[in-house]
Each structure stands twice: as C-alpha cells, then as structure tokens.
Amino acid sequence: MSKIFDFLGNHALAGDLGYKQGILRRSRSPPMDTPTLQALIDSHGAALQLLARQWCDAPEDAVQEALIELLQQQPVPRTPAAWLYTVVRRRAMNLARAESRRRKHQRDAGLARSAWFVPDSTAEDTTAECQTALAGLPRQEREIVILRIWGEQTFAQIADVVQLPLSTVHRRYHTALASLESSLLCPQTSRPES
C-alpha cells in the first residue's frame, strides 16, 4: 500500500490527501460473501459455462478461474455478474489459445518422431508393414513389445513399468509376437487397435 502512496505522492495530480484516503477506503471493502457468491453461481453458472464452451474445451476451468479472481477483487466489482461474463470469456479465450498451441506442438512432435524401424538396405523394405502391424496391437501389448525389444528391458523391469504381474507381462509379450507374426504373414487378418 505504501508503494502506491509513494507513487501517487510523486505526481502533482495525486498529491491530495483526500484522494489517498479515498483509495484506502475503497481498498478495504469487505470481500464477496458466500451467499452472494452462491447466488451468482446458481443464477449464472450454466450460462457462464455455455459462454466459455464457445471458446474452449474446458469451460469449467475458465469459470473456476474467474470465480477465484472474483473472490480476490478489492473492491468487489459493482456488477459482479457482468464482470464474471467478461472475465470468463477472456479466460476461455486464453485456454483456447493454450489448447491450440498444445495441439500444434503435439502435431509437430508427432511429425518429427523418428521411425520405429531402421531400414536395412540389404533386405526387402517391410518397414511400413512392420510399423502398421505394431500400431495394430493393443496399446499395452505394443508397450510391452517396445520395452522388451527396443528398450532391452527384462520382463521383471517391464512388469514394474506397466504395473502388471510378471506372468501377465510374459503372456502378453508372446501374444503380441504371435499377433505381429500373423499380421505380417497375413495382413488382412490384423487385429484392430484398442
């Protein structure tokens, strides 16, 4: 508070003591009480979420951030409902920008991902078929195969990583290898990804 008064005291327009005391009185207004906040949420909550949903995929987050900011406002806005709509819209727009950046980053990272297989110039090129067959495995089986073959992990280490019993990891690894062999020998019978 003293920093504000120091700043104001250095400016001719703000040198009036009454002006400083007015700022002090306004800054000490009581925070929003619980019944008023609950009434705002009850009467405007659904509409606030609907507004936020027009901008982002996480409207509840935008509304929650705005409500938290409302509780921190000193003094409380004159028209809290109008203030909330404005802030919810801004928070939703910020979330939409963040979602867009995250999707772009993930898309770019996916495109920059190196191939799972290194082509062998002496052998027939089956890289695409192998990648397709591996991608066709259920997620957990694919994860176990990758950890075992490319990660060179033991079955005990894999069991710790995927949090499954050792026997289940061993069984799923052999099931995955059989599925891969079947997919590569008869591509039309490959299993869909789950």
Side-chain angles (χ1 to χ4, degrees):
M1 200 54 119
S2 64
K3 288 182 182 180
I4 294 173
F5 290 142
D6 291 342
F7 173 78
L8 293 175
N10 292 333
H11 292 80
L13 295 175
D16 180 18
L17 182 58
Y19 180 78
K20 291 178 187 178
Q21 289 173 343
I23 289 175
L24 187 58
R25 275 194 299 274
R26 284 195 301 270
S27 67
R28 290 190 180 165
S29 67
M32 179 165 284
D33 59 5
T34 304
T36 304
L37 181 63
Q38 188 61 51
L40 274 171
I41 293 170
D42 290 343
S43 59
H44 298 282
L48 289 166
Q49 281 191 9
L50 182 61
L51 174 67
R53 187 170 284 118
Q54 306 312 304
W55 290 98
C56 67
D57 295 334
E60 299 85 5
D61 291 349
V63 173
Q64 183 177 7
E65 287 178 16
L67 288 170
I68 290 169
E69 191 172 336
L70 176 62
L71 290 173
Q72 296 170 345
Q73 289 298 302
Q74 286 295 329
V76 175
R78 287 185 195 155
T79 54
W83 184 92
L84 269 175
Y85 282 105
T86 301
V87 174
V88 164
R89 182 175 181 275
R90 289 180 187 153
R91 294 295 171 268
M93 291 169 74
N94 289 344
L95 287 172
R97 281 191 289 273
E99 290 166 3
S100 176
R101 283 191 304 269
R102 189 173 28 260
R103 279 192 296 269
K104 181 187 180 312
H105 174 73
Q106 290 170 346
R107 184 177 52 248
D108 292 347
L111 293 174
R113 178 185 85 192
S114 61
W116 288 347
F117 298 93
V118 177
D120 182 0
S121 60
T122 62
E124 181 182 332
D125 187 20
T126 59
T127 303
E129 292 85 8
C130 290
Q131 283 182 335
T132 302
L134 189 60
L137 291 175
R139 181 194 49 79
Q140 199 165 56
E141 286 180 14
R142 182 174 58 241
E143 190 175 39
I144 291 169
V145 168
I146 290 170
L147 286 168
R148 179 73 177 137
I149 295 175
W150 287 276
E152 299 177 349
Q153 301 292 299
T154 66
F155 287 112
Q157 291 168 325
I158 295 169
D160 285 341
V161 170
V162 298
Q163 297 180 343
L164 289 173
L166 181 60
S167 60
T168 303
V169 169
H170 194 266
R171 185 177 62 253
R172 289 190 180 169
Y173 175 72
H174 286 287
T175 301
L177 290 182
S179 295
L180 286 171
E181 183 179 22
S182 173
S183 295
L184 292 171
L185 294 177
C186 305
Q188 65 275 13
T189 62
S190 64
R191 292 172 23 184
E193 184 177 353
S194 59

